[in-house]
Amino acid sequence: MQGTPYDPDNIFAKILRGEIPSHAVYEDEHTLAFMDVMPQSEGHTLVIPKTPSRNIFDADPTTFMWLMPTVQKIAKASKKAFHANGVRVVQFNEAGSGQTVFHLHFHVIPTYDGVELKLHARQQEDGGHLAHNAEMIREALKFIS
Ligand code: AMP
C-alpha cells in the first residue's frame, strides 16, 4: 500500500533499540508494553509491536495477532493493579486522527469512578511516579494468565 514510509527514528523505535529509556512493564518476542509519559489516567500504558509499522494502514495483519494478547494482559493487569472501574483501549492512525508517534501502538487507559480522562499527550508525569505504576502493573501481571 502507498503512503508515508515508516521512520526508523521515531521515539518508539528508539525505545525498542534501547536508545532512550522507558518504564517497561512487559516484553515478549513480538511486543513491548511501557508507561505513557503523558498519561491520560493513572496506569496509562502503551503496547507496541517490535516489527516496524507506522500504523494500521501499513501493518502486516499478523502484527495484530501478536499485539492483542499483550493488550489484553495489560488491560487485565492495570484494572487489577489500580482498582479501575474499566479500561479504555484506543489506537490512532495518522495525524488527522490524533496520532503523534508514528510507530503502531495501542493505548491501554484505566478508567475510574468520577475521574475524567486528561487530555491526550499533554502533561508529563513525574518519572518516579511512572516507575511506581510500572512496578504495580508488573506485580499484577504475575496473577494474569
Ligand atoms: P499517539 O498520539 O496515539 O501517537 O500517542 C503517542 C503517545 O506516546 C502519547 O500518549 C504520548 O504521551 C506518548 N509518548 C510520547 N513520547 C513518549 C515516550 N518517550 N515514552 C512513553 N510515551 C511517550
Side-chain angles (χ1 to χ4, degrees):
M1 180 197 278
Q2 297 237 323
T4 312
Y6 179 80
D7 172 10
D9 282 327
N10 75 76
I11 201 139
F12 295 170
K14 290 181 179 175
I15 286 175
L16 281 170
R17 292 195 296 266
E19 292 169 9
I20 60 169
S22 70
H23 298 282
V25 299
Y26 176 84
E27 180 169 14
D28 61 24
E29 190 185 348
H30 298 285
T31 67
L32 175 70
F34 54 92
M35 305 312 295
D36 193 306
V37 293
M38 290 175 265
Q40 289 187 256
S41 76
E42 200 70 3
H44 182 167
T45 304
L46 300 168
V47 179
I48 70 172
K50 291 187 175 177
T51 44
S53 38
R54 181 175 164 88
N55 54 39
I56 203 168
F57 298 121
D58 63 336
D60 187 280
T62 56
T63 303
F64 297 97
M65 196 178 84
W66 301 118
L67 271 176
M68 294 318 290
T70 302
V71 169
Q72 186 182 31
K73 275 188 181 63
I74 300 302
K76 288 180 178 177
S78 58
K79 182 171 184 295
K80 180 176 170 64
F82 303 106
H83 306 289
N85 66 8
V87 173
R88 190 174 291 190
V89 173
V90 187
Q91 196 266 318
F92 299 90
N93 301 283
E94 294 302 329
S97 74
Q99 186 176 10
T100 58
V101 178
F102 295 94
H103 180 109
L104 176 65
H105 54 279
F106 280 83
H107 296 260
V108 179
I109 309 172
T111 55
Y112 302 93
D113 286 337
V115 182
E116 290 216 5
L117 294 184
K118 292 187 196 157
L119 290 176
H120 177 63
R122 285 291 169 86
Q123 200 183 336
Q124 187 93 17
E125 181 58 87
D126 170 70
H129 190 69
L130 290 174
H132 171 75
N133 283 353
E135 178 56 31
M136 303 249 305
I137 296 176
R138 285 195 297 269
E139 191 56 33
L141 276 167
K142 292 178 185 168
F143 304 96
I144 304 296
S145 55

